[in-house]
Amino acid sequence: TVFLEFWKRRRSILTYTWDLIEWEEEEETLRPQFEAKYYKMEIVNPITGKPEPHQPSSDKVTRLLVSVSGIFFMISLVITAVFGVVVYRLVVMEQFASFKWNFIKQYWQFATSAAAVCINFIIIMLLNLAYEKIAYLLTNLEYPRTESEWENSFALKMFLFQFVNLNSSIFYIAFFLGRFVGHPGKYNKLFDRWRLEECHPSGCLIDLCLQMGVIMFLKQIWNNFMELGYPLIQNWWSRHKIKRGIHDASIPQWENDWNLQPMNLHGLMDEYLEMVLQFGFTTIFVAAFPLAPLLALLNNIIEIRLDAYKFVTQWRRPLPARATDIGIWLGILEGIGILAVITNAFVIAITSDYIPRFVYEYKYGPCANHVEPSENCLKGYVNNSLSFFDLSELGMGKSGYCRYRDYRGPPWSSKPYEFTLQYWHILAARLAFIIVFEHLVFGIKSFIAYLIPDVPKGLHDRIRREKYLVQEMMYEAELEHLQQQRRKSGQPVHHEWP
């Protein structure tokens, strides 16, 4: 919130510096595609008073519905890919657990997670290639009126596609992995064949941290290569072809500049998208992966120099365009900030062991009835978090008991393997924590946003001063005009407003 509020202040300064305070989007020209499509249907623009092409509401709604359907189809495709990775994890988990190589057999959970993360990253990169083309097609299908509307619509689609593509597997690990496993003797199985995957014995945060770390690290390396390495290779190949065709190596500078790579068709959209996705990574699951902001900082320090080198030496000079803000990206960033509060509340309450430890410490532990500074209030927590299972129920000729992570009644209780009262206490504490945490943090966010004005006071006073001077100039001009009319008609001249 502090970052976004200070960005708004910086934006207002930039807008004033470039004299774009009064610039409106109505001054934008219509897109040629829009004019060619709807030139037969014209209405008078209420602002300019001139006739211009108009898109009927029924046509606009129909095209928007088709576009939204395409978006939902692509999101469902991502969810299907995640489900495929989940099935892969179940199949490979069974194979790794019975592997002949002792190292794999001993660390089968880590090997399964690492292999699944790498495959998931490859799927993410492949789907990203298709997303850009589909988003471009759906945006053109809507026939936006102006270039800024086209950019906002395209940017929103690309963000939705890539955000879901990048974070769907992370949401699965954070909130669904190991939640519907069942218990020994009654495990839930997928297709009645593969037992559902459980979290690491130390908790689901380990799997979540591994998933985020690998995806963030590999994606940053891939992005930096595509931003700088790919143009370098293309420019080298272009120079090589030119030198083979021209014996005289003295090529004028303007021709060398022309042979550089053209800027992306979408302008800075890719740069914004990369930063916004990175902003999501560093905020949405920061409770599970506190190293993310540090990795983002190191990446951005390097990327600032790489982008400067790319813009100056590898790309042709881009065409400038006027804009009063960063468009739809600010709304997306604010939406990520809201989602980050909700997600971190669920991560702390559900994914981590913070709430079970808290409930044990004050309700079931040695400090439940009295607090002694010398006593460890979490003593016996691990034993308390494990339930009993009678091995003789498996019908394999084994006796004794095994332990598993859950809060279920023991075999000798009146309701064996049913959830205990402690389970419901923990569930109630989790829900209460989520509600209190969200309301508290949202309150702090709103208070910070209220305290930090969007426009600095000095700039606000300067803008008001300029408006006052403009009004004075208009007053003086009108007064001079009125006095000239009075002189021509022979009437007495007043030196102040009549």
Side-chain angles (χ1 to χ4, degrees):
T1 302
V2 173
F3 165 72
L4 292 178
E5 291 301 316
F6 274 96
W7 159 247
K8 292 176 185 177
R9 294 168 65 86
R10 174 65 177 160
R11 178 193 63 183
S12 64
I13 294 173
L14 290 173
T15 306
Y16 176 81
T17 304
W18 288 94
D19 193 23
L20 293 171
I21 295 289
E22 302 294 336
W23 187 74
E24 298 290 339
E25 290 186 359
E26 291 296 334
E27 299 179 28
E28 283 190 279
T29 57
L30 299 179
R31 297 182 73 239
Q33 295 88 338
F34 181 85
E35 289 188 287
K37 178 71 175 177
Y38 300 105
Y39 72 95
K40 292 183 178 179
M41 294 168 277
E42 290 187 342
I43 63 170
V44 177
N45 189 314
I47 298 173
T48 62
K50 298 178 181 179
E52 64 176 32
H54 170 68
Q55 184 180 16
S57 300
S58 58
D59 182 75
K60 187 173 184 177
V61 170
T62 303
R63 293 180 180 277
L64 192 60
L65 287 175
V66 173
S67 180
V68 170
S69 302
I71 293 173
F72 277 109
F73 172 76
M74 294 307 299
I75 291 176
S76 63
L77 183 63
V78 174
I79 296 174
T80 304
V82 172
F83 179 75
V85 173
V86 170
V87 174
Y88 166 81
R89 291 173 72 119
L90 299 180
V91 175
V92 171
M93 178 180 65
E94 183 180 294
Q95 299 298 322
F96 281 171
S98 58
F99 213 66
K100 293 182 179 180
W101 191 13
N102 288 332
F103 179 80
I104 297 294
K105 189 175 182 178
Q106 185 176 359
Y107 301 102
W108 58 273
Q109 279 189 313
F110 177 79
T112 301
S113 298
V117 168
C118 294
I119 291 176
N120 189 57
F121 176 76
I122 294 173
I123 292 174
I124 288 173
M125 292 295 104
L126 292 176
L127 288 177
N128 280 347
L129 297 176
Y131 286 159
E132 184 172 349
K133 293 179 172 35
I134 294 173
Y136 192 82
L137 178 66
L138 292 177
T139 307
N140 284 335
L141 185 66
E142 294 174 11
Y143 282 97
R145 181 174 172 273
T146 62
E147 198 64 34
S148 62
E149 290 181 8
W150 189 95
E151 290 177 358
N152 288 340
S153 178
F154 182 73
L156 181 61
K157 292 179 180 61
M158 284 297 294
F159 169 75
L160 288 175
F161 288 158
Q162 297 216 15
F163 181 81
V164 174
N165 190 26
L166 204 61
N167 293 282
S168 54
S169 59
I170 299 175
F171 272 91
Y172 163 73
I173 292 176
F175 304 125
F176 297 100
L177 179 63
R179 307 291 169 196
F180 311 101
V181 175
H183 61 86
K186 195 178 179 182
Y187 281 117
N188 297 322
K189 295 186 177 183
L190 184 67
F191 305 131
D192 294 328
R193 172 66 176 84
W194 294 292
R195 174 180 152 188
L196 296 180
E197 187 181 3
E198 297 183 62
C199 293
H200 193 271
S202 59
C204 292
L205 281 181
I206 297 297
D207 296 285
L208 183 59
C209 186
L210 176 66
Q211 179 87 3
M212 289 190 64
V214 171
I215 288 181
M216 189 172 185
F217 181 73
L218 292 179
K219 193 172 189 308
Q220 288 180 348
I221 291 178
W222 176 258
N223 286 343
N224 288 333
F225 169 75
M226 291 302 294
E227 285 188 6
L228 183 62
Y230 187 64
L232 273 172
I233 295 172
Q234 284 186 315
N235 287 332
W236 173 83
W237 180 246
S238 298
R239 289 194 300 269
H240 180 68
K241 289 195 298 184
I242 292 171
K243 287 181 179 178
R244 282 194 307 176
I246 302 175
H247 298 288
D248 185 8
S250 58
I251 302 174
Q253 182 62 40
W254 64 266
E255 193 168 341
N256 284 328
D257 293 342
W258 173 254
N259 291 326
L260 295 176
Q261 293 302 307
M263 189 176 178
N264 194 310
L265 290 174
H266 317 307
L268 296 175
M269 207 280 301
D270 289 338
E271 309 290 336
Y272 279 123
L273 181 61
E274 181 184 356
M275 290 295 102
V276 169
L277 291 175
Q278 186 190 85
F279 181 77
F281 249 85
T282 57
T283 54
I284 293 178
F285 289 101
V286 68
F289 189 50
L291 197 62
L294 178 61
L295 291 178
L297 174 64
L298 296 176
N299 174 75
N300 292 345
I301 291 174
I302 297 171
E303 185 156 346
I304 286 173
R305 306 316 309 164
L306 291 180
D307 282 348
Y309 181 78
K310 174 185 69 178
F311 274 101
V312 174
T313 65
Q314 303 302 314
W315 277 7
R316 298 174 193 165
R317 181 180 298 175
L319 296 174
R322 290 186 297 179
T324 56
D325 51 27
I326 58 174
I328 200 173
W329 296 110
L330 181 61
I332 292 175
L333 288 171
E334 291 178 337
I336 289 176
I338 295 173
L339 180 63
V341 176
I342 300 172
T343 306
N344 281 290
F346 276 88
V347 167
I348 296 172
I350 295 177
T351 311
S352 73
D353 287 338
Y354 173 75
I355 299 300
R357 288 171 181 266
F358 182 82
V359 171
Y360 176 81
E361 185 174 354
Y362 292 99
K363 180 67 178 175
Y364 297 94
C367 301
N369 298 321
H370 60 282
V371 178
E372 297 181 7
S374 60
E375 192 171 1
N376 182 10
C377 295
L378 286 174
K379 184 178 181 181
Y381 166 73
V382 174
N383 186 57
N384 175 264
S385 66
L386 299 175
S387 300
F388 288 89
F389 176 72
D390 188 0
L391 292 175
S392 62
E393 296 183 16
L394 294 176
M396 300 174 62
K398 294 183 180 182
S399 61
Y401 297 99
C402 74
R403 309 294 298 276
Y404 62 98
R405 278 182 63 117
D406 211 342
Y407 294 95
R408 294 179 181 270
W412 56 83
S413 66
S414 58
K415 295 182 179 180
Y417 308 123
E418 295 291 328
F419 288 121
T420 61
L421 183 62
Q422 186 176 354
Y423 169 84
W424 299 109
H425 284 164
I426 292 174
L427 180 61
R430 282 172 166 164
L431 295 177
F433 174 84
I434 291 172
I435 295 172
V436 172
F437 181 88
E438 287 181 357
H439 283 71
L440 179 63
V441 177
F442 278 135
I444 295 174
K445 276 170 59 68
S446 302
F447 183 66
I448 292 174
Y450 172 77
L451 283 182
I452 304 175
D454 293 348
V455 181
K457 187 178 184 306
L459 178 60
H460 182 67
D461 293 341
R462 202 179 313 164
I463 294 173
R464 291 183 62 188
R465 171 67 177 169
E466 289 182 0
K467 287 184 177 179
Y468 170 77
L469 292 176
V470 169
Q471 289 176 354
E472 284 292 308
M473 291 172 61
M474 293 174 63
Y475 164 75
E476 293 293 339
E478 184 66 22
L479 182 60
E480 181 66 27
H481 177 67
L482 185 60
Q483 289 174 348
Q484 289 179 0
Q485 286 183 338
R486 285 178 176 272
R487 289 193 189 99
K488 289 180 180 179
S489 61
Q491 297 177 358
V493 176
H494 299 279
H495 294 284
E496 58 185 37
W497 197 263

